[in-house]
Amino acid sequence: MRRLALTLSLFVAFMCSVAMAQIMTPVKWSAKVDMTGDDEGQVVLTASISSGWHMYSLDCDPDAGPQVLEITYPKLDGVELQGKPTPNKPSHKQYDEMFGADLAWWTQEVTITQKFKATKPTFNIDVMVVCSACNDENCIPPSRSTFNLSGTAKPKAAAP
């Protein structure tokens, strides 16, 4: 009987920890490369945000308190970035009493693209995304997602 109680207790503890782990990852990222021309393309980052949660955006004041969305490229081999990251929809802007500041965020899903120009026939792009999310009750610490993307292109020869 003691073994059954111990096994049941361990099972319940395990299930609670699994449930908490799922709750604490409200933003899931995916990444891909789309070529838009022979030597032009874009990195496509998509954030799927759990219902009831919001993720702070690129245009949020970094001094306001929460971790703003940060996209960096630790390694670029064979590409040059063109312009700034562009979201597919505007962020929601609102005064937040908890932080005492105007904040900007997205809910549900957002896709962010970063254009690039290929300088080599094969290229590699390392992407790191750091974000924070909150719901009506709490916020998660900043989370980090990393991606290694690669592709092929037909870069134009440099003019002599």
Side-chain angles (χ1 to χ4, degrees):
M1 187 68 170
R2 283 185 162 169
R3 283 187 182 175
L4 178 61
L6 179 62
T7 303
L8 185 59
S9 296
L10 289 173
F11 178 75
V12 169
F14 174 76
M15 292 307 291
C16 288
S17 68
V18 168
M20 288 300 288
Q22 290 175 347
I23 291 171
M24 298 311 284
T25 54
V27 180
K28 295 187 180 11
W29 287 93
S30 64
K32 66 179 182 174
V33 168
D34 279 344
M35 293 305 293
T36 57
D38 286 345
D39 65 343
E40 295 176 343
Q42 57 187 10
V43 174
V44 180
L45 301 166
T46 301
S48 297
I49 305 163
S50 296
S51 179
W53 288 83
H54 57 268
M55 177 185 74
Y56 295 100
S57 72
L58 294 161
D59 58 348
C60 197
D61 179 3
D63 297 325
Q67 168 72 46
V68 299
L69 177 61
E70 184 180 329
I71 303 169
T72 57
Y73 299 88
K75 180 183 172 192
L76 296 171
D77 181 27
V79 297
E80 294 175 352
L81 299 180
Q82 307 285 305
K84 294 184 176 187
T86 306
N88 68 333
K89 64 181 183 180
S91 58
H92 172 80
K93 294 177 177 28
Q94 182 175 325
Y95 181 79
D96 188 294
E97 289 189 28
M98 184 170 76
F99 290 106
D102 289 320
L103 300 178
W105 63 76
W106 292 294
T107 59
Q108 298 177 337
E109 185 174 280
V110 64
T111 298
I112 300 165
T113 56
Q114 171 67 62
K115 294 181 180 180
F116 66 85
K117 185 170 188 112
T119 58
K120 294 181 180 178
T122 59
F123 59 83
N124 287 296
I125 304 169
D126 286 351
V127 184
M128 184 170 67
V129 179
V130 178
C131 69
S132 186
C134 293
N135 63 16
D136 290 339
E137 297 174 9
N138 59 27
C139 297
I140 61 164
S143 63
R144 180 178 8 173
S145 300
T146 58
F147 303 95
N148 179 271
L149 306 171
S150 60
T152 58
K154 299 175 188 170
K156 295 180 175 99

